[in-house]
Amino acid sequence: MILKRITKEMRLKWCITACRRLPVILGLPFFLLSYLLVKETYPGNVNDYEFTESDLNKHFTFSTDGDGDVMVFLHMQKTGGTFFGKNLVKNLKLKTACRCLKGEGMLKCPCMSEDQKRYWLFSRYSTGWKCGLHADYTELTECLNSGKLNELEEETRQRRYYYVSVLRDPAKRFISEWQHVSRGASWMASTLRCNGRSPSIKELPFCFSGDSWRNVTLEEFLNCPHNLARNRQTRMLANLSVIDCYSADMMDDPQKRLLLLNSAKDNLRSMPYFSIISYLNESQYLFERTFNLEFRLPMYAQKNRHNRFSGNVLYNLSPEMRRKILEVNDLDVQLYDFAERLFLQRYQYTVRNDLRNIPF
């Protein structure tokens, strides 16, 4: 009863402090203390969806020795992917560290085998945008299956691809993208390839003229029907070939919308790992258990001012504006609900397995 009267934020703060001191005294690992203190704050019934053993039991002995294992990071805009991507190249305990190059402008830390001939991480900070700027699931799979790593390594060999990604609350993510775009940023260089080609202007019209949409208002950002910020996570996680790629009605046609949503859900089920940025403790724990890799420093100690900032902006909007944001991101809302429950069931499944191995 006492725990129910303590806010989530207070519990997390207590856990962060207590878990540094109590494991030795109580003989309990960090993940268990986090589980006991925070689990009551999980949303609703995490068992709302039916997940199979194969959906939940994700555990691999991932090799960074160039034996064929390649982690592929699907980096969706404004989800916390930059933070996660930097942790992959700079914060993992590795036999051969990713070697960060200086003076190259954007951070570049090739993550390769000891002989520096084979990549084990395909991501922005390891290889660069070799399959296109913020390549989505469709682009990545087409690009890698056509031999992009063979080209980079100058070697043809068999590989096992492990796709990973990061998701974020749809409303907060949308606000964050609007703020980014209104400051003059754009992803005009994105190729958006599907079935071997980029969409035409007729298939995907622009929302603005010129090089950027600087100073766009939130209302303008909301009202453009071709804005790729709408339902971005669903579109980028789906296999777009199920709807014959891009078309002007792709987000309006009920059948196409359902196909996109189901494809994105199926791809999340099959992914060995994805993170939800608002669950950093759980995300780190699941990553380490999934791939048998460890981070040097806890991720919770490094984040997350951006998440708080966009959350504050959202809170100060009118109820009508918040409703419109959710309305134009309705597929992402459904996908995020699915992803959150899958993520939490994977977490609880893995914790229960670990508990069986703790001698009490």
Side-chain angles (χ1 to χ4, degrees):
M1 292 299 293
I2 295 175
L3 280 179
K4 291 181 179 179
R5 294 195 294 269
I6 302 175
T7 67
K8 179 178 180 180
E9 289 74 21
M10 290 172 64
R11 269 183 250 177
L12 286 169
K13 186 176 181 180
W14 178 29
C15 181
I16 289 169
T17 302
C19 288
R20 292 180 182 135
R21 300 181 176 90
L22 291 182
V24 175
I25 300 173
L26 300 180
L28 300 176
F30 173 86
F31 77 86
L32 178 55
L33 287 173
S34 173
Y35 178 71
L36 294 173
L37 289 169
V38 184
K39 70 170 183 169
E40 292 180 21
T41 66
Y42 293 154
N45 179 10
V46 301
N47 299 309
D48 287 346
Y49 296 93
E50 291 292 333
F51 295 117
T52 65
E53 176 88 5
S54 62
D55 293 332
L56 306 180
N57 186 11
K58 304 290 186 179
H59 179 75
F60 309 92
T61 302
F62 185 86
S63 172
T64 62
D65 294 330
D67 297 331
D69 291 346
V70 179
M71 190 178 299
V72 181
F73 179 29
L74 196 169
H75 182 173
M76 298 183 287
Q77 290 94 318
K78 313 314 291 182
T79 57
T82 295
F83 167 77
F84 181 73
K86 287 181 178 179
N87 270 272
L88 288 181
V89 300
K90 300 179 76 173
N91 191 27
L92 284 174
K93 295 179 181 177
L94 300 167
K95 183 171 68 174
T96 302
C98 304
R99 299 180 180 179
C100 294
L101 308 176
K102 297 181 180 179
E104 296 287 330
M106 186 182 76
L107 178 68
K108 186 74 176 295
C109 305
C111 296
M112 308 184 76
S113 55
E114 188 173 3
D115 61 10
Q116 296 296 294
K117 292 182 178 180
R118 295 178 170 184
Y119 287 97
W120 62 263
L121 176 62
F122 191 88
S123 74
R124 169 190 182 181
Y125 293 124
S126 176
T127 58
W129 301 114
K130 297 301 183 183
C131 288
L133 176 62
H134 282 286
D136 56 28
Y137 179 86
T138 305
E139 288 182 285
L140 283 172
T141 52
E142 287 186 7
C143 173
L144 289 171
N145 291 343
S146 68
K148 176 57 70 173
L149 272 176
N150 288 340
E151 175 188 322
L152 291 178
E153 297 176 352
E154 298 181 347
E155 175 189 14
T156 300
R157 63 188 180 96
Q158 294 295 314
R159 298 177 183 86
R160 295 173 293 277
Y161 293 120
Y162 298 83
Y163 283 81
V164 302
S165 193
V166 181
L167 285 87
R168 185 181 181 187
D169 172 86
K172 291 180 180 178
R173 197 216 64 78
F174 188 83
I175 287 290
S176 186
E177 181 162 347
W178 161 63
Q179 292 172 318
H180 193 65
V181 170
S182 70
R183 291 191 292 266
S186 76
W187 293 283
M188 296 283 287
S190 296
T191 56
L192 304 174
R193 294 178 68 82
C194 176
N195 286 347
R197 69 177 183 89
S198 298
S200 67
I201 292 296
K202 183 179 179 179
E203 292 167 327
L204 187 63
F206 289 118
C207 288
F208 59 92
S209 58
D211 296 329
S212 75
W213 208 0
R214 184 183 294 276
N215 298 323
V216 59
T217 67
L218 179 56
E219 188 168 0
E220 291 170 334
F221 197 71
L222 273 166
N223 289 337
C224 178
H226 312 296
N227 188 351
L228 291 178
R230 291 181 170 197
N231 292 311
R232 178 178 288 283
Q233 294 176 104
T234 302
R235 177 181 57 82
M236 292 188 70
L237 285 167
N239 182 351
L240 295 179
S241 65
V242 301
I243 59 166
D244 294 324
C245 303
Y246 289 90
S247 62
D249 68 343
M250 64 183 292
M251 286 301 179
D252 297 319
D253 183 291
Q255 185 176 4
K256 289 183 178 181
R257 284 163 51 84
L258 182 60
L259 287 170
L260 281 176
L261 180 60
N262 287 337
S263 176
K265 288 180 178 180
D266 289 343
N267 287 337
L268 279 181
R269 282 180 188 266
S270 64
M271 278 188 181
Y273 173 84
F274 62 89
S275 166
I276 294 182
I277 200 62
S278 58
Y279 293 98
L280 281 182
N281 288 338
E282 294 86 345
S283 292
Q284 177 168 341
Y285 165 76
L286 264 183
F287 181 92
E288 293 178 339
R289 292 301 189 275
T290 300
F291 295 113
N292 197 29
L293 295 170
E294 289 185 32
F295 289 100
R296 294 185 296 106
L297 300 172
M299 288 197 290
Y300 69 79
Q302 307 170 47
K303 251 287 191 193
N304 187 1
R305 69 178 180 87
H306 296 295
N307 199 39
R308 291 196 301 270
F309 185 67
S310 58
N312 291 340
V313 173
L314 186 65
Y315 178 79
N316 290 322
L317 294 177
S318 68
E320 175 63 15
M321 190 63 79
R322 290 198 295 270
R323 184 194 65 77
K324 288 179 68 176
I325 290 172
L326 294 176
E327 186 176 278
V328 302
N329 289 284
D330 61 328
L331 296 183
D332 272 10
V333 170
Q334 295 176 67
L335 179 67
Y336 187 79
D337 180 73
F338 173 88
E340 191 173 32
R341 271 119 177 110
L342 175 56
F343 175 87
L344 292 173
Q345 283 205 42
R346 284 184 179 181
Y347 173 70
Q348 293 178 348
Y349 177 93
T350 308
V351 167
R352 285 194 293 270
N353 281 346
D354 277 359
L355 285 175
R356 296 189 184 102
N357 299 320
I358 297 178
F360 286 103

